[in-house]
Amino acid sequence: MTLKDIDAFVFDFDGVLTNNLVHLDQNGKESVSCSRADGLAFDVLRKLDKPAFILSTENNPVVTMRAKKLKIPVVQGVDDKVEAIKKLANKNNYSLKSILYVGNDLNDYLVMQLCGYTICPADSHFKIKEISDVVLKTNGGNGVVRELLEDVLSLDFIKILYQTN
């Protein structure tokens, strides 16, 4: 798998871009933990003109706000990730076999079987690990996208982000 083989990157949210924990205050307001290292990784994808999306079953303002901060589109409140990824691919003229999907739990299982490239965090469900092309060393929410780009795809962030030639 090389960067040129990938039309788009699609990321589950909970357990991939977060550590899969939710924090609730006394008023029921939710918050989650995300890695700033992933923010820089999304800057690299933008610089390389590689589309990235969040695909989440959750419909939550936390997901919306993180996607806004990362400057990437989000498809959320999805009951059927298979149909959602087919629509995304069709709308953007992507081949499903050229989509890299990063998931961690059983609700990602069927969609991962459709995509050409699959990655999961180290702390993913064992059935997701079994079907993933790469199991990362990093747990969800701890820089999964960063590891994917730097270690798996061997991208040099300094060269991409800070050098013009």
Side-chain angles (χ1 to χ4, degrees):
M1 151 183 35
T2 65
L3 189 64
K4 67 178 174 59
D5 299 324
I6 300 166
D7 286 347
F9 292 78
V10 179
F11 300 91
D12 177 39
F13 188 73
D14 291 318
V16 172
L17 298 181
T18 77
N19 63 2
N20 220 14
L21 298 176
V22 63
H23 308 279
L24 293 171
D25 71 12
Q26 66 273 16
N27 300 313
K29 185 174 179 177
E30 291 186 17
S31 64
V32 297
S33 297
C34 300
S35 174
R36 289 194 184 272
D38 283 341
L40 194 60
F42 283 105
D43 289 345
V44 166
L45 288 175
R46 254 190 314 287
K47 186 92 173 190
L48 294 172
D49 253 354
K50 284 294 181 176
F53 302 87
I54 293 172
L55 179 62
S56 179
T57 53
E58 282 283 316
N59 192 4
N60 192 319
V62 172
V63 181
T64 304
M65 293 309 294
R66 186 62 180 153
K68 183 177 178 182
K69 175 96 175 169
L70 295 171
K71 301 176 187 160
I72 63 170
V74 61
V75 180
Q76 61 179 316
V78 172
D79 291 328
D80 186 343
K81 286 189 172 185
V82 167
E83 283 307 308
I85 201 120
K86 285 179 181 177
K87 285 180 187 174
L88 181 72
N90 188 43
K91 177 182 177 185
N92 294 286
N93 203 27
Y94 303 142
S95 163
L96 287 170
K97 294 303 175 195
S98 296
I99 292 177
L100 185 148
Y101 188 92
V102 184
N104 73 304
D105 211 342
L106 296 177
N107 63 339
D108 299 307
Y109 189 87
L110 295 176
V111 71
M112 289 177 81
Q113 291 185 318
L114 282 183
C115 294
Y117 308 101
T118 55
I119 309 279
C120 71
D123 57 346
S124 297
H125 190 282
F126 75 93
K127 287 185 183 250
I128 297 301
K129 289 180 179 181
E130 288 175 354
I131 64 167
S132 292
D133 297 318
V134 176
V135 177
L136 299 171
K137 296 175 193 157
T138 305
N139 286 341
N142 291 311
V144 164
V145 186
R146 183 78 168 261
E147 182 186 341
L148 165 60
L149 297 186
E150 285 188 313
D151 298 349
V152 177
L153 294 174
S154 302
L155 299 180
D156 182 339
F157 281 29
I158 292 172
K159 184 176 179 182
I160 294 165
L161 291 172
Y162 306 112
Q163 294 180 358
T164 56
N165 47 346

